[in-house]
Amino acid sequence: METARLLEWIGYLASAIIAFSMTMNSVLKFRWINLAGAALFAIYGFLIQAYPVSFLNGFIVVVDLYYLYSFYSKKEAFDVLEVKSDDIYLQRFLNFHQTDIQRFFPDYSYKPQHQDKIYFILRDLSVAGVFIASESQAGTLKVVLDYVIPAYRDLKNGHYIYNQLHGKLTGARYSKVVSAPHSPLHSKYLNKLGFKQRSDGQFEKILSNEAR
């Protein structure tokens, strides 16, 4: 009886994981979570001798592994496109993604300044996100907005843009970048990109050693 109840709960858990994977906006997160659910379901099917269930989910595991391998081994072309603050497409992009931007930058509203540096992040020539920064003091850039659309939210864009800030994009003019912790999600993102939180609560990343 206890074994039957345990198997039942394994089936419930596997179902819940697969259902949860379907809520992911990020394709990468979907594949990882779906992989875990399908693997658990394959084990569940084997244990209850429901072999069609086991084989089907085993096949899904193989498919997920294939796409994850393709994702991590794929050589993507990254680039940036600098735009002016009055660029029409920029304004439409920000308006279209406003609700999602508010999740990471709750207080953000587009108030362009003349000195702002604005870049679209391109991934295989598709617009993956937008980066806006301004000079806060000599040698320091302050992040105004660093937004990536859900389909490309895998840190590759962040690593690319911050590796380019000292050198290709701004010459050797800036040696560090700072950012306020606009939300818990944004703080988590900054930590993953190697930012360190200062005593004043701001996050800081040294750029000079990354471009040399």
Side-chain angles (χ1 to χ4, degrees):
M1 187 68 179
E2 290 298 324
T3 300
R5 180 59 60 87
L6 177 61
L7 291 175
E8 183 179 359
W9 278 106
I10 291 175
Y12 286 140
L13 178 60
S15 298
I17 293 173
I18 289 179
F20 179 62
S21 74
M22 304 302 292
T23 68
M24 295 294 102
N25 287 324
S26 168
V27 175
L28 182 61
K29 289 182 179 179
F30 164 75
R31 288 295 177 188
W32 275 114
I33 298 173
N34 188 259
L35 171 65
L40 191 58
F41 235 133
I43 294 171
Y44 168 75
F46 180 80
L47 291 175
I48 66 172
Q49 298 183 338
Y51 298 119
V53 172
S54 183
F55 291 148
L56 173 61
N57 283 278
F59 173 75
I60 293 174
V61 167
V62 173
V63 172
D64 284 334
L65 286 173
Y66 169 78
Y67 279 106
L68 285 168
Y69 173 79
S70 298
F71 174 84
Y72 285 111
S73 61
K74 181 181 178 182
K75 300 298 182 182
E76 295 175 294
F78 285 87
D79 204 349
V80 291
L81 177 65
E82 186 170 8
V83 295
K84 301 296 184 181
S85 59
D86 60 352
D87 184 86
I88 295 176
Y89 181 76
L90 171 65
Q91 296 175 32
R92 291 187 177 183
F93 179 90
L94 295 174
N95 288 335
F96 183 83
H97 294 287
Q98 182 179 3
T99 300
D100 194 43
I101 289 173
Q102 296 292 320
R103 294 178 58 222
F104 299 89
F105 295 79
D107 301 322
Y108 179 76
S109 60
Y110 186 52
K111 299 176 181 178
Q113 303 295 321
H114 176 70
Q115 70 273 21
D116 284 349
K117 297 184 177 299
I118 307 173
Y119 303 98
F120 277 125
I121 306 170
L122 306 180
R123 198 158 165 173
D124 292 336
L125 286 184
S126 296
V127 176
V130 61
F131 180 86
I132 305 175
S134 62
E135 184 174 338
S136 62
Q137 60 187 49
T140 302
L141 274 176
K142 183 175 182 178
V143 176
V144 176
L145 179 66
D146 178 8
Y147 173 73
V148 177
I149 65 175
Y152 294 108
R153 205 163 285 161
D154 53 22
L155 297 182
K156 288 185 178 181
N157 301 280
H159 284 301
Y160 176 79
I161 193 70
Y162 288 111
N163 285 339
Q164 299 299 316
L165 283 178
H166 182 89
K168 181 178 179 180
L169 298 185
T170 62
R173 185 176 176 182
Y174 302 103
S175 60
K176 64 181 177 180
V177 60
V178 297
S179 176
H182 294 279
S183 66
L185 285 172
H186 184 235
S187 296
K188 183 178 180 181
Y189 166 78
L190 293 173
N191 280 318
K192 287 182 177 180
L193 288 176
F195 280 77
K196 304 297 181 184
Q197 191 165 23
R198 307 186 311 202
S199 58
D200 63 359
Q202 297 283 307
F203 282 80
E204 179 179 288
K205 182 178 179 66
I206 304 300
L207 299 174
S208 58
N209 293 329
E210 296 194 15
R212 297 181 181 182

